[in-house]
Amino acid sequence: MRARRPAERLGRRGALLTLKGVMAVGYGAGQIVQPTGDEQGLALLLTVMPLDSWGWAWITAGAAALACAWLPPRRDWPGFLAVWAIASAWAGAYLVSWWPLGESPRGWVIATIFAAFGTVCLVAIGWDEPPRARSEPPRET
């Protein structure tokens, strides 16, 4: 019963933000500790700042999502936007690296993945939290 209370307080929007936040923090930490990915696809972003700084940007977006997950519905929007923004930057960079630059032949695939990851946040930001279910007394048979 005690484990349900935090889950009830978190709600579905908060649960989604928590998952997105954990993924963003993990991805950012991975970029700092052991960078992976197609650097040709990230060439545009790397002209702005180095990869470890982008890793910290992912961590910051994830931390914002984790913090906002505990806010009341409709006040949690900054967390959704933070994850959407960082994922969109990466999606855009990979897309441009594929076309028109032609530097990353599979850039469209990675762009699609990052775009979908971020777009889920835009969809969820408009969701209402479902009403709490009322507990009913057990039926007599």
Side-chain angles (χ1 to χ4, degrees), residues 1-140:
M1 181 88 171
R2 289 185 132 180
R4 270 183 108 186
R5 287 184 189 159
E8 286 175 3
R9 182 165 179 244
L10 195 60
R12 291 181 183 174
R13 291 170 61 99
L16 180 64
L17 266 178
T18 299
L19 293 171
K20 291 289 192 174
V22 167
M23 288 188 277
V25 168
Y27 188 76
Q31 292 301 325
I32 294 168
V33 174
Q34 188 174 8
T36 61
D38 176 8
E39 288 205 17
Q40 289 176 325
L42 296 174
L44 185 62
L45 293 180
L46 295 176
T47 62
V48 176
M49 59 187 178
L51 194 53
D52 62 332
S53 296
W54 282 107
W56 283 109
W58 274 94
I59 291 171
T60 302
L66 290 168
C68 290
W70 295 95
L71 296 175
R74 302 295 181 188
R75 290 195 174 168
D76 55 3
W77 61 267
F80 286 110
L81 287 183
V83 172
W84 169 79
I86 191 69
S88 294
W90 282 54
Y94 276 107
L95 187 62
V96 168
S97 75
W98 169 66
W99 185 87
L101 299 179
E103 295 172 352
S104 179
R106 295 181 38 88
W108 68 273
V109 175
I110 302 167
T112 302
I113 293 167
F114 280 111
F117 181 79
T119 302
V120 168
C121 292
L122 291 184
V123 171
I125 204 169
W127 289 345
D128 289 326
E129 193 66 42
R132 289 187 176 162
R134 296 187 311 181
S135 54
E136 297 179 21
R139 290 184 174 179
E140 293 183 26

